[in-house]
């Protein structure tokens, strides 16, 4: 069954919904928080505004937005362009799908740039009973696909892209954005295909945006402590291979995925070392999502069993 | 005035000293070192023990003597050869003060591209 994005109810008297500004109507979303990046989106398209309100719902914030993206259609060289502004300055333009893709890209980029005091990893993460599995790696290794499979299998969702660890506590602060699923993973995740209102479809990039709550109600986790590190590598046709890693080798790999490493190499290395000392570490190669999910769930359950926590 | 020696010229009277700007974390007896331009390195358990002794006050000869005491059945000449090899290698890698690095090390691999969307795979959250 296809997963459906929730419909947005636009209420008068709030900071969402239709707002008349001069001669043009502008639709403004609520406030959202991508870790240290607080933003809202203003657009001239009602369907797009509703879609964005639903898409960013896992990041909804009570705080006023510090920054504003504006997505509007304007005259361009070939007729018209959709233009993305950030705090009044243009950051890109193109067809509707490119404009939305650029918005999603910039939200992630700004989350990295504006977040302070946390160790930021290019990693997906999921959890069970407060014990998290980190899935660090470069693009295209299968992080999002694997974390989608894990959430579908019952684990809590923390992020598919940017894992933020508080070095003071060792705990993960979630960034539960919609999972960005590439076409290559449509097959194994076919049941998660989102249903998008027809009026908003022209804005969709060639990628599914899957809400974690559409995978499973209550899937978003609040926090967790890393207990397992699995370096995933999807290889088509590969039989599933799990290889233990020394914590030193895992630290090198994870440090290579740290966005803030160059800002404070010694501090970041020390923080990651402290986190990994409590983790079992592996490298996982697989051509089967189901087998990869079973392998990771089994590892996590065994780790939890060591602490007296069991799952049926 | 400080002198820089070539790694190959390191002998038994050399007192190795860790570069002060090298970040080091020990994981289960193995050291992970990061020294900016010298890149990221992992030391095995034996090299980690030696690394921890490299404070500039102990010569290679003295280290070998200590190890010979700890391992009396081992061939002393073999111990000396291994310790010298370790010190010279760390020197070539740019991890020791006063020792010229042999060549620029491989930069640490970044987790992803920094291009805006338009090409396959760009997602914004990249180094």
């Amino acid at each position: 069954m296809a997963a459906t994005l929730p419909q947005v109810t636009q209420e008068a008297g709030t900071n969402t919904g239709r707002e008349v500004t001069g001669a043009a109507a502008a639709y403004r979303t609520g406030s959202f928080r991508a870790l240290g990046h607080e933003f809202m989106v203003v657009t001239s398209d009602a369907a797009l505004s509703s879609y964005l309100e639903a898409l960013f719902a896992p990041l909804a914030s009570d705080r006023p937005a510090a920054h504003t993206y504006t997505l509007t259609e304007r005259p361009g060289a070939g007729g018209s362009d959709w233009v993305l502004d950030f705090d009044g300055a243009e950051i890109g333009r193109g067809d509707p799908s490119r404009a939305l893709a650029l918005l999603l890209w910039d939200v992630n980029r700004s989350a990295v740039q504006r977040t302070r005091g946390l160790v930021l990893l290019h990693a997906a993460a999921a959890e069970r009973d407060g014990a998290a599995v980190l899935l660090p790696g470069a693009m295209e290794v299968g992080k999002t696909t694997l974390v989608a499979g894990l959430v579908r299998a019952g684990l809590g969702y923390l992020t598919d892209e940017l894992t933020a660890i508080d070095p003071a506590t060792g705990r993960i602060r979630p960034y539960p954005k919609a999972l960005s699923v590439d076409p290559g993973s449509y097959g194994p995740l076919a049941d998660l295909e989102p249903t998008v209102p027809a009026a908003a479809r022209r804005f969709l990039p060639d990628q599914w945006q899957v809400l974690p709550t559409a995978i499973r109600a209550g899937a978003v986790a609040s926090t967790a402590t890393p207990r397992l590190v699995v370096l995933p590598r999807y290889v088509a046709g590969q039989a599933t291979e799990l290889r233990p890693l020394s914590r030193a080798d895992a630290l090198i790999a994870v440090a290579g995925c740290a966005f803030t490493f160059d800002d404070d190499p010694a501090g970041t290395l020390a923080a990651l070392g402290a986190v990994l000392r409590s983790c079992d570490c592996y490298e996982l190669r697989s051509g089967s999502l189901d087998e990869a999910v079973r392998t990771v769930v089994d590892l996590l359950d065994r780790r939890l069993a060591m602490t007296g926590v069991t799952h049926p | 005035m400080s002198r820089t020696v070539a790694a190959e010229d390191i002998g038994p009277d050399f007192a190795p000293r860790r570069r002060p700007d090298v970040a080091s974390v020990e994981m289960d007896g193995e050291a992970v070192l990061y020294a900016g331009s010298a890149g990221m390195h992992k030391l095995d358990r034996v090299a980690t023990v030696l690394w921890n002794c490299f404070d500039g006050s102990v010569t290679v000869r003295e280290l070998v003597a200590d190890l010979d005491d700890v391992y009396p059945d081992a061939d002393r000449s073999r111990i000396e050869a291994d310790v010298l090899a370790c010190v010279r290698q760390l020197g070539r890698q740019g991890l020791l003060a006063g020792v010229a690095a042999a060549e620029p090390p491989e930069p640490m691999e970044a987790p992803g591209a920094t291009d805006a969307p338009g090409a396959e795979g760009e997602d914004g959250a990249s180094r």
Side-chain angles (χ1 to χ4, degrees), chain B residues 10-113:
Chain B
I10 290 174
D13 294 321
F14 182 77
R17 186 165 59 91
R18 299 180 293 273
R19 263 177 56 186
D21 59 335
V22 173
S24 171
V25 172
E26 223 171 284
M27 307 292 289
D28 302 324
E30 296 180 314
V32 174
L33 310 180
Y34 179 74
S37 59
M40 190 83 81
H41 303 270
K42 185 186 82 168
L43 305 185
D44 64 21
R45 291 169 185 269
V46 174
T48 298
V49 171
L50 290 174
W51 171 259
N52 289 333
C53 296
F54 292 170
D55 60 1
S57 68
V58 182
T59 66
V60 169
R61 191 189 311 280
E62 287 165 337
L63 281 169
V64 169
D66 288 344
L67 288 170
D68 192 41
D69 287 342
V70 174
Y71 302 104
D73 295 332
D75 179 353
R76 185 184 173 113
S77 62
R78 176 64 188 270
I79 293 175
E80 179 168 324
D82 287 348
V83 172
L84 271 173
C86 177
V87 175
R88 287 169 181 161
Q89 177 64 13
L90 293 175
R92 277 191 289 270
Q93 290 172 333
L95 298 171
L96 297 180
V99 181
E103 60 188 30
E106 290 297 313
M108 195 165 66
E109 186 177 325

Side-chain angles (χ1 to χ4, degrees), chain A residues 98 101-102 105 108-109 122 138-140 161 246-249 251-252 255-256 258-259 261-262 265-266 269-270 273 276-277, chain B residues 23 25-28 30 32 34 40-42 108-118 120-127:
Chain A
R98 171 157 172 86
L102 187 57
W105 177 83
N108 285 341
R109 184 190 65 86
H122 197 191
M139 289 186 291
E140 308 294 326
E161 183 64 48
S246 72
R247 291 191 175 101
D249 284 330
L251 176 57
I252 291 172
F259 291 102
F261 189 87
D262 290 340
L269 206 60
L276 263 62
R277 281 195 189 92
Chain B
V25 172
E26 223 171 284
M27 307 292 289
D28 302 324
E30 296 180 314
V32 174
Y34 179 74
M40 190 83 81
H41 303 270
K42 185 186 82 168
M108 195 165 66
E109 186 177 325
T114 56
D115 294 337
E120 185 177 348
E122 285 79 10
D123 50 28
S126 305
R127 288 183 67 189

